[in-house]
Amino acid sequence: MLLQPQLPFWLIGTDGGLRAPLQMVDFLISPAERFDLIVDFSRMPMGTKVTLTNYPGTQVHYPGITGCGPEIAEIMQFQVTKPLSGGGDRTTPPEKLKLPAVAPIIPKLRTRRREWVVYQHQLFRTMTFNAVPYMAPSQDFIREGPIDIWEYINPNHEAHPMMSTSSTSRC
């Protein structure tokens, strides 16, 4: 078995928007989570294949049966087939990128705050939000325009991704 090259990459964005570039060699991502990455293949020889893989033992997430899905090792393969055109790479190196900062949202005195306790009563089974089953019809509606601050509290053994940035409500 041939070892493939381990390419560093740059994280430049998440669900919360753009961020200062951060060089990484691996990361943990959850279902429906988004990362914006830059990977530099320019130093790879023609014919190189680079495969994006899961951690060993990683299982596919199936709603309702977390941790019981099949193991999937390989996610995607990149093949270096053509040299850079136009005399080399003229892009800005990731470590020198100046990305626009996300403007912070400053809550006002009467900003509505919500607290959500995420609880899983049984290992690998459905979670509840404030004791309401996850799949239950929503009784919580937001208005367009005002700022809401939602805080998630997860006392469980298993991490669960949540939007962690402040934003204005959108319909």
Side-chain angles (χ1 to χ4, degrees), residues 72-143:
I72 296 182
E74 296 181 348
I75 300 171
M76 177 185 318
Q77 185 178 78
F78 302 90
Q79 297 181 14
V80 180
T81 59
K82 295 181 181 180
L84 288 171
S85 61
D89 187 359
R90 294 186 306 270
T91 60
T92 302
E95 66 272 17
K96 294 184 179 179
L97 282 176
K98 301 290 185 227
L99 300 171
V102 176
I105 295 174
I106 301 170
K108 294 181 174 48
L109 182 62
R110 297 191 189 275
T111 297
R112 180 177 148 171
R113 295 177 180 269
R114 298 292 309 268
E115 186 176 272
W116 301 91
V117 178
V118 181
Y119 191 73
Q120 192 171 29
H121 300 275
Q122 190 177 14
L123 187 63
F124 302 128
R125 295 294 175 233
T126 302
M127 293 183 166
T128 61
F129 290 83
N130 291 349
V132 176
Y134 175 76
M135 297 303 286
S138 177
Q139 298 300 312
D140 188 54
F141 298 94
I142 58 173
R143 298 180 319 261

Side-chain angles (χ1 to χ4, degrees), residues 26 53-59 71-73:
D26 64 11
T53 60
N54 271 321
Y55 289 110
T58 301
Q59 295 173 315
E71 187 175 317
I72 296 182

